Amino acid sequence: MTNSTSSKFDDHDVNDDELLAACDDVPLKKPDPIVPIVEVASFEFPFEPYQIQTDFMRGLYSTIQQRKHGIFESPTGTGKSLSLICGSLRWLFDEIQSWKDEYEELLKPIETKNETSSGDWLKRLMKRKEEETAREKRREELKVKIDLEDQYANAAKNTLTANIKKTKRDFDAKYRHLFNSELPSKSDGDDPSLSKDQFKIDNDDELSDEELIIKDNDCKILFDDMDSPTKTDSTGLREKKVHVQKIFFCTRTHSQISQFIGEIQKTKYVDQLRLVALGSRQNLCINESVLKLKSLTLINEKCLDLQKQKKEKKTTKGKRQKTACGCLFLQHDRVECLSNDILSDVQDIEDVVKLGRELNTCPYYATRAAIAAAHLVVLPYQTLMHKSTREACGIEMRDNVVIIDEAHNLPDAICAMHSSEINGNQLIDSYGQLSRYHEKYKARLTAKNLLAIKQLLDVQINLIKTLCSQENLPAVYDTEKWSNLVVSSNKTETSSTFDLIDYLSDAGVYVNLFQLIDYIKTNEIIKKLHGFMSKYPVNKNQQSEEKKTNESALQKLLQKQTQKQSQSNVVDEEQLSKESTEKRISNSFAIFATFLEALTNPRDDGKIILIIKETLGQCSIKYFALKTSSFFHEMVNEARSVIVAGGTMRPINEFIDHLFLACGQPEEKLFQLSCNHIVPTDNVLAIALPLGPQNIEFEFTAVNRSNTAMMDELGRVLVSLCSTIPDGLVVFFCSYDHLQKTYAYFEKTFVLNKIVSKKKIFMEPKRSSDVDTILTNYTKSIKNGAGGILFSIVGGKMSEGINFSDELARCVCVVGMPYPNIGSAEMIEKMRYLDSMRLKSTTAGETAGRAYYENTCWKAINQSIGRAIRHRGDYACLLLIDKRYSKANIPSKLPHWLANSFHQMNNFTETSNAIQQFFVRRSNKPTSS
């Protein structure tokens, strides 16, 4: 009976095709990705790679392929940037090719097997249906990806179409101008691309009261709005671009972005790569009337405001016609044309700006329009790490790769960019600006706007009162009196820390800060206040009116006479202080708005620190961000892979704990690689020097840095080194204050005279704009044979991103140990916060806070000494001047590649002999790169 039943329902008697339609869709389980073994040649490395570079590229490739996160350490000078480029781009183009290969495979029909067994026919049919459904779905997904890639590739290669459209439009515009009898004249000093009407629109001084008054917000479409996360804008006029698979590469500075793009241009990927480099409006804007505002906040506000303005011009019929935007450089078709041109070749930010000027098109919005189609987006830390900036740029993290270079200080950098500080003067100024605005226009503002402004004023005054006793604050607003109000008899700075919610409660701030921030942004309060203060500036002759004090007729008469007598002097005074006053006007409310936004962070993410000094204007309020993972978790959870890389990543546990484990990533999803240096051991001589020629011990603690005996001994060491070290000598001090005091003492005791007779002296400037000049002169002096000694700061402008290769740094000295101030409120709170966390990586007997304090010092030291060795043939001496470097645990704190070259000397004679022998040996060997 059983056999007959089985025979009756044999699946060979059933038509499978008729039953397929009856089966439901069941997704197939995807197998784990198989990591291919990539051949060295396929990485397209521009030179013959060293083994560590091959290991680096293979490790990077497999990490991305397996959707893991990686921590890569490769010493400075080992070709880290090229390894990152070739390893990641090889994966990207292999991934794109795999889509095409898989798509071709899925187009082939499923091979059917002739099964004679009497199995379960229904299960077999369901399995076949599942396979066909899954294949069809996968084919559609791959087709979309491939078509999108081909579409963007063709657009980047064939920019001729866009150029023809642009040429036609420009020709039509010029042709129409021939019939425009009322074309505005242009003076010789004006930019030919900007008309007088344009300057009228761009000039804040010409804004009318009507334009300055806050109105109920109406919906206006900006370029920023068009790049919002929605598929289309509110009018449905523009569809948002779909993004291709891409890699985001971010680094610290603009100069490092330029260096990275220069490395890409050495590779073969440059011919097929679509790259865009992002920058701020300050770096990319070509509208001079916007750039003249200087302040980045005002530049942003002005740019957005110009997009809302409709620029009027007369047609041939005499009628006025409104163009799409008040900025001549911002027209959609031109922007699209420029974005395609940007992607057609690997170009730096400077190249893009130059191209934008040639095409009279906005480079800022062209680079943003190019993000969707780009394979590689190069951008600074702040753009990627700050969520609001990231969203404004239209950056999509999901399933893309993020590579963060120079990441040695990444956890601290993330907290620093989310911290905010405002001082008493800025609070007082912002309150005064808003008060005067309110007083001027209160009769013309709606009830809703009056309420919002009143709430902002209440928040400002309540924050001010947290810095001083309420009864001591004068009832009537007076900038000078409030700013100079004595709040502490103690000449030294004091600080106190508060929980965020407790601070706001004690300050009496109970309003919805999110709504106030939204109100500031949507109604452009920052721009309107700047325009108001420019139109109605406060000067000393108007103080009596502003203070609303009662005066006698005699006082008023005397005041008028004084005004007439000193009118010319006042004009000169105002002219001299115009730049500083404009900066103060521009920044005060913008800083307040930024600080207000920081106050909306979750309670546990940071603390409030009140810093009290002698006067109210000198005091400050700081929001200090503590929890790195709160600002990093979205990125690490959305991206396919996050790669952090640097020359000195020790201690790696800090990245594991704060960047990955704290964001919910499992340990098995993390990959670590630490490479050795390519430089031979005998090319480096590292010495710990505890004392000088006269056996005076060095211990440059904060207390001892003014010790004259120690400074005399340091002077003798430097004079001796200048006689022994060829070419360039770089000396790092722990702080600018320490450097200044030592330099002044050397000048007083004629030590500088002895040094300058052997090497020319250079010093790190305070202003970043002067760095290139100092470096150029330092390099010229060495190239000309005069030698040079460069005094610099640990953690300063010369300690990161500057390559002192070959003769530019035959010796690097670090004077003292750059420990941060352990008594500062920030360090106390950071250590306390870390101690409260139970970290697996904390060394036995050492708290997490103390480990952080030590690591902060050593990361700065290792970063400084890493400036010297830049390639395989380079050589240098590294001198650590302080007796604390002679401790037994010091070698473990240094980069691992330096351990075999590190020596702890007992006296200066031994040190001097070792240095002399080192350079004698090196003089007999040729330098190879």
Side-chain angles (χ1 to χ4, degrees):
M1 186 71 177
T2 305
N3 292 336
S4 63
T5 305
S6 175
S7 176
K8 183 178 179 181
F9 292 96
D10 192 298
D11 58 352
H12 291 294
D13 297 332
V14 179
N15 186 346
D16 293 351
D17 293 332
E18 292 178 359
L19 298 173
L20 282 177
C23 299
D24 295 328
D25 294 349
V26 181
L28 291 177
K29 182 179 179 182
K30 293 184 179 179
D32 294 332
I34 299 174
V35 182
I37 298 175
V38 186
E39 297 298 329
V40 177
S42 67
F43 282 114
E44 301 288 355
F45 203 77
F47 315 108
E48 184 66 30
Y50 299 114
Q51 185 59 45
I52 64 166
Q53 293 169 332
T54 301
D55 294 342
F56 190 106
M57 291 185 289
R58 281 179 170 164
L60 178 61
Y61 189 104
S62 63
T63 300
I64 300 173
Q65 182 69 13
Q66 297 177 81
R67 296 178 176 272
K68 291 184 176 182
H69 305 299
I71 303 169
F72 289 77
E73 181 183 40
S74 185
T76 304
T78 56
K80 170 171 58 68
S81 296
L82 269 176
S83 299
L84 285 170
I85 292 166
C86 295
S88 60
L89 291 183
R90 180 69 276 153
W91 171 83
L92 179 65
F93 289 118
D94 282 355
E95 178 76 359
I96 294 172
Q97 184 59 44
S98 72
W99 299 341
K100 299 176 181 178
D101 295 341
E102 186 181 356
Y103 182 73
E104 292 295 328
E105 192 67 28
L106 290 174
L107 289 176
K108 299 176 182 178
I110 301 176
E111 294 182 3
T112 56
K113 297 179 181 179
N114 295 323
E115 296 182 3
T116 58
S117 63
S118 300
D120 190 332
W121 59 269
L122 184 58
K123 287 183 179 180
R124 186 157 55 83
L125 289 178
M126 288 184 67
K127 184 178 179 181
R128 181 178 168 187
K129 175 64 176 177
E130 290 169 7
E131 289 180 358
E132 289 194 355
T133 303
R135 285 167 63 92
E136 184 179 356
K137 184 178 180 181
R138 183 60 179 164
R139 275 199 305 269
E140 291 175 357
E141 291 175 356
L142 293 173
K143 185 70 164 58
V144 170
K145 288 183 176 182
I146 294 168
D147 289 347
L148 189 64
E149 177 66 28
D150 291 342
Q151 174 190 334
Y152 284 143
N154 292 332
K157 289 178 182 177
N158 183 23
T159 58
L160 180 62
T161 304
N163 283 326
I164 290 173
K165 290 181 180 178
K166 170 186 166 296
T167 305
K168 181 180 182 299
R169 186 192 61 254
D170 290 347
F171 178 81
D172 289 344
K174 290 178 181 178
Y175 183 77
R176 285 195 301 269
H177 284 172
L178 295 176
F179 297 93
N180 191 351
S181 59
E182 300 187 29
L183 186 68
S185 60
K186 299 170 184 173
S187 61
D188 295 335
D190 290 340
D191 187 332
S193 64
L194 296 174
S195 68
K196 288 184 178 180
D197 287 340
Q198 176 70 21
F199 278 114
K200 185 174 182 180
I201 291 174
D202 292 346
N203 192 350
D204 280 327
D205 296 335
E206 298 296 326
L207 290 176
S208 65
D209 285 343
E210 194 64 29
E211 292 172 299
L212 291 174
I213 293 174
I214 303 169
K215 300 179 179 64
D216 290 334
N217 188 48
D218 51 354
C219 291
K220 298 192 178 182
I221 301 166
L222 310 181
F223 268 68
D224 289 79
D225 298 329
M226 292 179 182
D227 292 329
S228 64
T230 55
K231 185 73 175 175
T232 58
D233 62 280
S234 57
T235 59
L237 292 178
R238 183 195 290 190
E239 186 174 346
K240 185 193 170 195
K241 291 181 177 179
V242 182
H243 288 236
V244 297
Q245 180 82 61
K246 58 173 54 55
I247 297 170
F248 293 100
F249 181 94
C250 69
T251 189
R252 291 171 62 84
T253 64
H254 177 70
S255 62
Q256 288 170 343
I257 288 177
S258 299
Q259 292 171 13
F260 180 77
I261 293 176
E263 293 294 296
I264 292 176
Q265 291 170 338
K266 297 176 183 177
T267 69
K268 293 183 179 180
Y269 296 108
V270 71
D271 296 328
Q272 54 183 325
L273 179 67
R274 299 194 301 273
L275 176 147
V276 60
L278 302 184
S280 65
R281 286 181 174 90
Q282 212 164 17
N283 291 325
L284 289 166
C285 180
I286 58 174
N287 190 329
E288 297 299 332
S289 64
V290 175
L291 285 176
K292 71 179 182 181
L293 296 174
K294 307 296 182 185
S295 166
L296 180 58
T297 302
L298 289 175
I299 288 174
N300 290 337
E301 291 279 354
K302 188 63 181 177
C303 175
L304 297 177
D305 183 54
L306 284 178
Q307 293 175 49
K308 291 183 178 181
Q309 294 179 7
K310 304 293 184 179
K311 180 172 176 280
E312 291 188 349
K313 62 180 181 180
K314 288 188 177 181
T315 62
T316 52
K317 297 180 180 179
K319 295 182 179 180
R320 288 194 171 272
Q321 178 182 347
K322 289 187 176 182
T323 61
C325 177
C327 180
L328 289 177
F329 305 105
L330 193 55
Q331 298 183 32
H332 174 60
D333 51 351
R334 285 190 177 189
V335 168
E336 286 298 318
C337 172
L338 180 56
S339 69
N340 288 333
D341 286 338
I342 289 170
L343 295 172
S344 66
D345 193 14
V346 173
Q347 301 176 77
D348 196 1
I349 288 178
E350 286 76 11
D351 300 324
V352 172
V353 171
K354 182 180 178 182
L355 186 61
R357 292 188 186 279
E358 290 175 359
L359 299 178
N360 283 332
T361 306
C362 177
Y364 176 75
Y365 280 105
T367 54
R368 288 177 60 170
I371 292 175
H375 291 131
L376 182 61
V377 180
V378 188
L379 67 170
Y381 272 12
Q382 290 81 354
T383 305
L384 191 68
M385 302 296 172
H386 209 274
K387 183 178 179 179
S388 59
T389 308
R390 188 167 68 236
E391 290 177 347
C393 290
I395 292 174
E396 294 184 1
M397 306 298 303
R398 188 164 300 281
D399 206 37
N400 288 320
V401 178
V402 176
I403 298 177
I404 305 169
D405 195 14
E406 300 296 335
H408 53 278
N409 279 329
L410 182 61
D412 288 340
I414 291 173
C415 286
M417 69 179 66
H418 290 89
S419 297
S420 182
E421 184 173 6
I422 186 168
N423 63 43
N425 279 330
Q426 291 162 345
L427 263 176
I428 292 167
D429 283 346
S430 64
Y431 177 78
Q433 292 172 19
L434 195 58
S435 296
R436 293 184 65 239
Y437 181 90
H438 174 262
E439 189 64 28
K440 177 76 174 177
Y441 297 122
K442 63 182 179 181
R444 301 172 65 180
L445 294 170
T446 63
K448 178 184 174 182
N449 287 318
L450 285 172
L451 175 62
I453 292 175
K454 181 65 169 61
Q455 288 179 336
L456 284 170
L457 289 170
D458 287 343
V459 171
Q460 289 173 326
I461 197 66
N462 286 334
L463 293 180
I464 291 172
K465 287 176 180 178
T466 63
L467 297 173
C468 66
S469 301
Q470 183 172 348
E471 59 272 12
N472 293 335
L473 190 67
V476 179
Y477 175 78
D478 185 310
T479 306
E480 290 187 8
K481 283 186 178 180
W482 283 25
S483 180
N484 296 323
L485 177 67
V486 176
V487 297
S488 174
S489 58
N490 194 347
K491 297 286 184 181
T492 58
E493 175 185 306
T494 59
S495 60
S496 51
T497 309
F498 299 88
D499 173 84
L500 176 59
I501 302 301
D502 291 344
Y503 172 76
L504 292 175
S505 178
D506 293 343
V509 178
Y510 301 113
V511 296
N512 188 325
L513 297 182
F514 292 96
Q515 289 182 356
L516 287 183
I517 291 165
D518 183 61
Y519 177 80
I520 290 171
K521 291 179 178 178
T522 56
N523 292 283
E524 300 174 313
I525 307 298
I526 296 172
K527 183 192 75 67
K528 284 182 167 63
L529 280 182
H530 178 262
F532 172 75
M533 295 303 294
S534 298
K535 188 176 182 69
Y536 302 107
V538 179
N539 54 54
K540 294 179 180 179
N541 297 327
Q542 294 175 329
Q543 282 184 357
S544 59
E545 182 183 345
E546 295 296 329
K547 297 173 192 175
K548 300 181 181 179
T549 57
N550 295 323
E551 296 177 332
S552 66
L554 179 60
Q555 286 176 320
K556 292 181 180 179
L557 179 62
L558 290 173
Q559 186 183 13
K560 288 181 181 180
Q561 291 177 344
T562 305
Q563 287 177 0
K564 290 179 181 179
Q565 291 172 358
S566 61
Q567 188 173 8
S568 59
N569 294 333
V570 169
V571 171
D572 295 336
E573 212 174 277
E574 288 179 351
Q575 188 66 30
L576 291 172
S577 62
K578 183 179 179 182
E579 188 172 333
S580 60
T581 303
E582 282 183 355
K583 185 176 181 181
R584 186 167 175 174
I585 290 171
S586 302
N587 291 341
S588 293
F589 195 85
I591 292 170
F592 167 72
T594 302
F595 181 75
L596 204 63
E597 197 162 0
L599 296 181
T600 61
N601 282 313
R603 182 176 196 164
D604 296 333
D605 287 1
K607 296 286 185 182
I608 293 293
I609 300 174
L610 294 187
I611 302 168
I612 305 300
K613 298 183 180 180
E614 188 175 1
T615 65
L616 178 57
Q618 295 172 331
C619 298
S620 60
I621 312 170
K622 181 172 186 177
Y623 172 79
F624 184 54
L626 291 169
K627 197 173 180 181
T628 307
S629 58
S630 292
F631 311 107
F632 195 69
H633 77 279
E634 183 176 313
M635 180 188 306
V636 79
N637 289 323
E638 285 192 0
R640 177 192 181 104
S641 294
V642 174
I643 308 296
V644 293
T648 52
M649 298 293 285
R650 301 294 177 93
I652 289 178
N653 286 331
E654 187 174 301
F655 294 90
I656 296 174
D657 288 329
H658 302 306
L659 293 185
F660 295 109
L661 296 185
C663 294
Q665 296 296 308
E667 286 190 61
E668 56 269 19
K669 201 176 177 182
L670 304 181
F671 176 81
Q672 301 176 44
L673 179 66
S674 186
C675 300
N676 289 317
H677 212 300
I678 56 176
V679 68
T681 306
D682 59 356
N683 278 26
V684 184
L685 175 64
I687 297 174
L689 180 63
L691 39 78
Q694 296 187 3
N695 294 326
I696 297 175
E697 285 189 334
F698 295 122
E699 189 176 11
F700 292 99
T701 59
V703 177
N704 292 336
R705 286 173 187 171
S706 298
N707 187 308
T708 56
M710 226 189 300
M711 286 195 285
D712 287 333
E713 192 78 334
L714 178 62
R716 286 187 280 269
V717 169
L718 293 180
V719 171
S720 175
L721 290 176
C722 286
S723 302
T724 308
I725 307 293
D727 303 316
L729 170 62
V730 182
V731 183
F732 286 101
F733 286 80
C734 292
S735 68
Y736 202 88
D737 180 64
H738 186 203
L739 171 56
Q740 281 188 315
K741 286 181 178 178
T742 305
Y743 191 90
Y745 184 78
F746 283 174
E747 193 172 29
K748 180 180 176 182
T749 56
F750 305 105
V751 173
L752 293 184
N753 292 346
K754 297 177 184 178
I755 293 176
V756 81
S757 65
K758 305 174 186 298
K759 293 184 186 295
K760 196 170 181 181
I761 299 173
F762 299 88
M763 189 158 70
E764 180 176 313
K766 280 190 172 182
R767 296 189 303 179
S768 299
S769 56
D770 296 332
V771 170
D772 288 340
T773 303
I774 296 294
L775 286 175
T776 300
N777 294 334
Y778 173 71
T779 304
K780 284 181 180 178
S781 178
I782 292 170
K783 298 289 186 184
N784 293 336
I789 180 170
L790 177 61
F791 293 115
S792 304
I793 315 298
V794 174
K797 304 170 186 69
M798 305 288 192
S799 65
E800 294 187 28
I802 306 295
N803 298 339
F804 292 107
S805 61
D806 299 320
E807 66 271 15
L808 295 185
R810 288 305 180 201
C811 180
V812 171
C813 301
V814 179
V815 180
M817 301 186 77
Y819 282 105
N821 180 7
I822 198 170
S824 70
E826 291 87 345
M827 183 55 65
I828 291 172
E829 282 305 314
K830 187 73 174 181
M831 292 174 68
R832 185 180 296 161
Y833 166 74
L834 293 173
D835 287 342
S836 68
M837 299 175 64
R838 295 182 178 180
L839 304 178
K840 298 179 182 179
S841 58
T842 305
T843 307
E846 184 182 48
T847 64
R850 185 69 194 185
Y852 171 79
Y853 178 70
E854 289 284 336
N855 294 336
T856 301
C857 170
W858 280 101
K859 281 193 286 188
I861 293 170
N862 292 336
Q863 194 65 22
S864 296
I865 63 180
R867 299 304 92 207
I869 305 297
R870 309 305 299 184
H871 57 81
R872 184 178 180 84
D874 206 353
Y875 62 93
C877 171
L878 309 174
L879 200 58
L880 306 178
I881 305 176
D882 199 294
K883 74 173 188 178
R884 291 172 289 177
Y885 288 114
S886 298
K887 294 179 180 179
N889 67 333
I890 295 301
S892 65
K893 303 286 187 180
L894 292 167
H896 63 281
W897 59 269
L898 198 57
N900 295 331
S901 304
F902 182 66
H903 307 276
Q904 293 173 319
M905 301 292 186
N906 296 320
N907 56 67
F908 183 73
T909 303
E910 188 181 358
T911 300
S912 182
N913 291 337
I915 293 173
Q916 289 180 10
Q917 292 170 12
F918 174 77
F919 284 107
V920 167
R921 288 197 306 271
R922 292 307 315 168
S923 63
N924 297 326
K925 293 183 181 180
T927 302
S928 60
S929 56

